[in-house]
């Protein structure tokens, strides 16, 4: 099919299965260009084409259910986009080797938490605030001490935008609740989440008034003008209202060490109190968001080891941003886009052309803009912008202006840096510096850079929150560590996270979705040609097309190419005994490829046209059924022979066993016969001895033994007794000279 989001998703899924290699899909483009929607479409497609089953469908539902939650807590309406991702997300969809989804893993980057407390006019805070007010029941709102109207809350009313025509907050709230249930959020956890969101709204309404009598000399101290809002927030957070009030109005300072250690509170002025209030609100929201992601990961992550799974990674990260006022968040976001553009350049322009040269392929270089110098300007140690910002954060009482002066000192002559003092272009305002990004020039206002980079909550606030009676809240705010080690700054954390992300992407087979924003009106069917042309130009798509047209659509190592297509040529199938390169040459020769359709490098074969590769795949698909039939026939023959041999062996074993059993029975019968013979002989001899003993004096007996008692007859001696009686009677008759006693002869037993 022609270039399409489905085609790219299908290609990544099948490449993962075919080559057993992890894939990644890098979705990039400006804010509002459609990156989040592209990500959701890819997830839906992969979910549709992969396997099914009770457990598999459960995993699919959980993966898809993560989207409504992350969008509710991480997306917001901006001037350019009604559903802008205000955080970066890399989602790995994990599969087994059969291609069935078995889990996932979500990594998030740099939530724009400042949006909780302030934003440009015409924008909204994170969706979840408006969804809660629109979708919660009256009873829930009563328990949270909230009103349905967003205008009642300072954090929401500051930008004067409460609804969006393309967003249905009530419907989205119901989807979030369903998704939370699907992902195993308990009712208690969902209640705490609602309480946290409500507590942030109450904190935003906390106001401070100057004390008529200052608590300390030289400081315009303040007190809470509406303590009921602090009490409402404290109740929802499960903390002591008095302690929370003290944390908002005072800052503890410790002096001395050991036994001389003492601590006292310094009252805050109006600006400091507002800073602490807003820092707590931002910290609460950020920690809640990170906990949500962590909880989702525990539910969807596979228990298998990384060697047992394959994955497709979806990178949906904030697009390049140029606003009227650009601050620390835009600086980090645009740095992220610079890094991703560098990966794109490395993998599609630079590395590809270098590979042609390395492989000995004749090549005319295509020139392109390499943004490596901009990336180094921002992140290089020890003299990059982030390093200098960290250094300024370490200096006591350092200011944003001092940081800007330091940048001017080190980068005044850099080709991609300008400021009010160093540039001839006086459109740059005082307190700003300009970077020449790949997507265009962006001026950054340094106001707040140091505070946002420090990204710390004061210890007093942390102590109060760590004492919460709510189990989830105590998880978000663990006991305070007394370590003096300085926490890593937000800029350094982001730099480390970006480098880790790039390492992850480079380990995968990359695919690219370049989202083009046709206009700034957020309307369909309206193509601003100049706007579109500018995006195509700075994304490097023109150079990429040139390289692709002049270069080769596919390249594979000889061994891999031979292994995949050797069955299409009789001379290389089933076994090729020559070198891998000669085998590839034999395949190409057999299929009569034109010489301009391929090149043979030192270690790889390069295919010019995708249609040529499709032809190889079609030939392979044609011959595979025949090979499978032959394999099946060979296997069936082998299996039948094995079955016959097993049957013959069973027959032989049975025959031998029967012979053995018959021999044993014969021997037992012979032994029994001999025993019986001996026993009968013994009994007969014993009987005869008894008869002889009884009749030994019969000659001298006047009756010739007529009165002699015969011995008892034993079993088997009856016939012998009959013969003996007959013999005795004949003897007696002959001895006495009498005739035969016929009466006595009639008593003889039958001998027949």
């Amino acid at each position: 099919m022609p270039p399409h989001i489905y085609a790219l998703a299908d290609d990544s899924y099948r490449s993962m299965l075919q080559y057993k290699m992890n894939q990644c899909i890098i979705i990039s483009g400006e804010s509002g260009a459609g990156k989040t929607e592209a990500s959701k479409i890819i997830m839906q497609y992969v979910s549709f084409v992969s396997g099914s089953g009770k457990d598999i469908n459960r995993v699919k539902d959980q993966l898809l259910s993560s989207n409504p939650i992350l969008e509710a807590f991480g997306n917001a309406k901006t001037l350019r986009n009604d559903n802008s991702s205000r955080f970066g997300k890399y989602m790995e969809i994990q599969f087994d080797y059969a291609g069935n989804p078995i889990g996932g893993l979500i990594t998030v980057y740099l939530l724009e938490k400042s949006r909780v407390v302030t934003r440009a006019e015409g924008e909204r805070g994170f969706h979840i605030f408006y969804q809660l007010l629109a979708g919660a029941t009256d009873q829930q709102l009563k328990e949270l001490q909230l009103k349905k109207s967003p205008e009642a809350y300072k954090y929401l009313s500051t930008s004067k935008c409460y609804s969006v025509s393309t967003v249905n907050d009530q419907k989205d709230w119901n989807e979030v609740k369903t998704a939370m249930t699907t992902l195993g959020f308990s009712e208690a956890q969902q209640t705490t989440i609602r309480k946290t969101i409500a507590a942030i709204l109450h904190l935003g309404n906390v106001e401070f008034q100057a004390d008529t009598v200052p608590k300390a000399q030289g400081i315009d101290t303040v007190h809470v003008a509406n303590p009921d809002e602090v009490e409402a927030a404290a109740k929802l957070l499960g903390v002591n209202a008095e302690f929370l009030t003290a944390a908002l109005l005072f800052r503890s300072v410790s002096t001395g060490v050991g036994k001389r250690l003492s601590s006292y509170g310094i009252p805050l002025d109006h600006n400091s109190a507002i800073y602490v209030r807003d820092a707590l609100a931002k910290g609460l929201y950020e920690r809640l968001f990170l906990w949500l992601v962590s909880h989702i990961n525990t539910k969807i992550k596979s228990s298998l080891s990384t060697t047992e799974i394959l994955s497709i990674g979806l990178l949906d990260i904030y697009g390049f941003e140029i606003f009227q006022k650009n601050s620390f968040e835009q600086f980090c976001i645009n740095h992220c886009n610079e890094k991703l553009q560098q990966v794109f350049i490395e993998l599609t322009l630079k590395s590809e052309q270098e590979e042609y040269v390395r492989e000995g392929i004749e090549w005319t270089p295509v020139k392109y803009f390499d943004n490596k110098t901009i990336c180094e300007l921002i992140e290089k140690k020890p003299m990059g912008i982030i390093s200098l910002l960290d250094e300024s954060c370490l200096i006591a009482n350092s200011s944003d202006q001092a940081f800007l002066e330091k940048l001017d000192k080190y980068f005044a002559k850099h080709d991609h840096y300008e400021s009010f003092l160093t540039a001839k272009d006086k459109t740059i305002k005082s307190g700003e510096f300009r970077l020449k990004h790949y997507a265009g020039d962006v001026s950054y206002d340094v106001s707040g850079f140091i505070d946002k980079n420090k990204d710390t909550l004061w210890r007093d606030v942390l102590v109060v929150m760590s004492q919460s009676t709510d189990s989830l809240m105590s998880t978000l705010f663990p006991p305070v560590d007394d370590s003096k080690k300085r926490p890593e700054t937000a800029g350094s954390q982001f730099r480390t996270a970006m480098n880790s992300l790039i390492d992850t992407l480079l380990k995968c087979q990359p695919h690219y979705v370049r989202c083009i924003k046709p206009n700034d009106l957020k309307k369909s069917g309206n193509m601003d040609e100049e706007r579109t042309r500018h995006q195509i130009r700075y994304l490097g798509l023109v150079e990429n097309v040139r390289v692709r047209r002049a270069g080769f659509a596919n390249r594979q190592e000889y061994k891999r190419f031979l292994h995949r297509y050797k069955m299409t040529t009789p001379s290389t199938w089933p076994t090729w005994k020559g070198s891998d390169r000669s085998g590839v040459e034999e395949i190409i020769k057999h299929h009569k490829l034109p010489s301009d359709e391929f090149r043979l490098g030192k270690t790889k074969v390069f295919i010019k046209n995708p249609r040529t590769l499709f032809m190889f795949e079609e030939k392979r698909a044609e011959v595979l059924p025949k090979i499978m039939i032959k394999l099946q026939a060979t296997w069936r023959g082998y299996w039948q022979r094995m079955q016959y041999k097993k049957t013959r062996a069973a027959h032989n074993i049975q025959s031998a066993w029967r012979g053995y059993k018959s021999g044993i029975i014969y021997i037992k019968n012979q032994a029994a016969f001999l025993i019986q013979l001996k026993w009968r002989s013994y009994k007969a001899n014993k009987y005869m001895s008894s008869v002889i003993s009884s009749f030994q004096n019969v000659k001298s007996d006047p009756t010739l033994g007529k009165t002699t008692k015969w011995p008892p007859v034993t079993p088997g001696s009856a016939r012998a007794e009959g013969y003996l009686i007959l013999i005795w009677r004949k003897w007696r008759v002959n001895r006495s000279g009498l005739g035969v006693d016929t009466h006595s002869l009639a008593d003889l037993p039958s001998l027949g």
Side-chain angles (χ1 to χ4, degrees), residues 552-597:
F552 299 86
N554 181 270
R555 78 253 12 233
Q556 297 184 41
E557 292 182 351
Y558 290 129
K559 183 177 181 179
R560 180 173 165 183
F561 187 90
L562 177 62
H563 177 75
R564 183 158 185 82
Y565 302 116
K566 65 180 180 179
M567 69 286 298
T568 65
T569 306
S571 58
T572 56
W573 179 259
T575 304
W576 175 254
K577 296 182 179 179
S579 66
D580 293 336
R581 173 167 177 153
S582 60
V584 172
E585 291 174 343
E586 187 67 24
I587 294 172
I588 291 175
K589 180 180 177 182
H590 175 80
H591 292 291
K592 299 178 181 179
L593 288 188
S595 59
D596 60 345
E597 279 297 317

Side-chain angles (χ1 to χ4, degrees), residues 180 184-194 291 295 472:
M180 284 188 170
F185 286 84
S186 68
E187 189 58 41
Q189 289 172 332
Q190 294 186 43
T191 299
T192 301
I193 291 170
R194 291 194 296 269
W291 177 84
H295 181 85
L472 176 54

Side-chain angles (χ1 to χ4, degrees), residues 347-358:
L347 295 180
T348 63
L349 297 174
K350 184 178 180 180
S351 62
E352 183 167 348
Q353 297 193 78
E354 288 177 350
E355 185 177 36
Y356 294 147
V357 175
R358 188 169 57 250

Side-chain angles (χ1 to χ4, degrees), residues 182-248:
T182 302
L183 284 165
F185 286 84
S186 68
E187 189 58 41
Q189 289 172 332
Q190 294 186 43
T191 299
T192 301
I193 291 170
R194 291 194 296 269
K195 286 182 177 180
T196 305
I197 298 301
I200 291 172
L201 293 178
H202 284 297
L203 280 174
N205 282 357
V206 174
E207 296 179 353
F208 302 99
Q209 285 184 350
D211 291 328
T212 53
V213 179
K215 300 184 184 73
Q217 188 175 0
I219 302 177
D220 296 327
T221 59
V222 295
H223 64 275
V224 175
N226 47 351
D228 55 314
E229 294 287 2
V230 178
E231 290 173 1
K235 180 180 178 181
L236 294 170
L237 297 174
V239 300
N240 185 288
E242 293 183 6
F243 292 168
L244 180 58
T245 302
L248 294 175

Side-chain angles (χ1 to χ4, degrees), residues 68-327:
I69 297 175
L70 293 177
E71 284 192 20
F73 286 86
N75 288 25
K77 177 198 179 300
T78 64
L79 295 175
R80 295 189 172 190
N81 184 3
D82 290 347
N83 188 34
S84 177
S85 296
R86 307 318 298 164
F87 70 105
K89 177 181 70 175
Y90 183 67
M91 182 172 192
E92 289 184 30
I93 308 174
Q94 299 170 334
F95 302 85
D96 59 20
Y97 275 76
N100 300 315
I102 56 174
L105 181 64
I106 301 172
T107 306
V108 294
Y109 306 93
L110 190 68
L111 175 72
E112 189 191 19
K113 60 184 179 181
S114 62
R115 181 167 290 272
V116 173
V117 301
T118 184
R119 66 206 69 88
E121 187 171 328
E123 297 187 345
R124 291 207 315 177
F126 293 104
H127 293 323
I128 189 63
F129 292 106
Y130 308 89
Q131 292 174 4
L132 175 63
L133 297 178
T137 64
D138 292 339
Q139 180 60 33
Q140 288 174 336
L141 291 175
K142 183 178 179 181
E143 292 172 356
L144 300 174
Q145 301 180 48
L146 293 178
K147 301 175 183 177
K148 270 194 173 293
S149 174
E151 293 94 328
Y153 303 99
K154 184 178 178 182
Y155 280 163
L156 304 184
S157 62
T158 182
S159 54
K160 300 177 182 178
C161 179
Y162 309 106
S163 61
V164 185
S165 60
T166 57
V167 175
N168 186 329
D169 291 318
Q170 186 170 0
K171 174 175 171 289
D172 291 344
W173 170 255
N174 293 329
E175 290 182 1
V176 169
K177 289 196 301 180
T178 302
M180 284 188 170
T181 302
T182 302
L183 284 165
F185 286 84
S186 68
E187 189 58 41
Q189 289 172 332
Q190 294 186 43
T191 299
T192 301
I193 291 170
R194 291 194 296 269
K195 286 182 177 180
T196 305
I197 298 301
I200 291 172
L201 293 178
H202 284 297
L203 280 174
N205 282 357
V206 174
E207 296 179 353
F208 302 99
Q209 285 184 350
D211 291 328
T212 53
V213 179
K215 300 184 184 73
Q217 188 175 0
I219 302 177
D220 296 327
T221 59
V222 295
H223 64 275
V224 175
N226 47 351
D228 55 314
E229 294 287 2
V230 178
E231 290 173 1
K235 180 180 178 181
L236 294 170
L237 297 174
V239 300
N240 185 288
E242 293 183 6
F243 292 168
L244 180 58
T245 302
L248 294 175
L249 298 177
F250 294 87
R251 181 179 184 183
S252 296
V253 176
S254 299
T255 59
V257 293
K259 294 182 179 180
R260 295 187 176 183
L261 179 64
S262 61
S263 180
Y264 57 94
I266 298 178
L268 302 178
D269 60 18
H270 189 269
N271 290 336
S272 298
I274 290 176
Y275 174 85
V276 173
R277 179 200 65 188
D278 292 348
L280 174 57
K282 292 185 290 184
L284 266 172
Y285 193 83
E286 181 185 40
R287 294 184 186 218
L288 176 64
F289 179 77
L290 295 178
W291 177 84
L292 286 168
V293 175
S294 176
H295 181 85
I296 293 172
N297 281 336
T298 60
K299 297 297 181 181
I300 66 175
K301 188 176 181 181
S302 170
S303 59
L304 299 178
S305 66
T306 53
T307 58
E308 298 176 290
I309 60 176
L310 298 168
S311 67
I312 297 178
L314 291 176
L315 180 63
D316 173 18
I317 208 159
Y318 12 59
F320 195 88
E321 293 185 346
I322 307 176
F323 294 145
Q324 222 170 8
K325 181 180 179 181
N326 302 287
S327 189

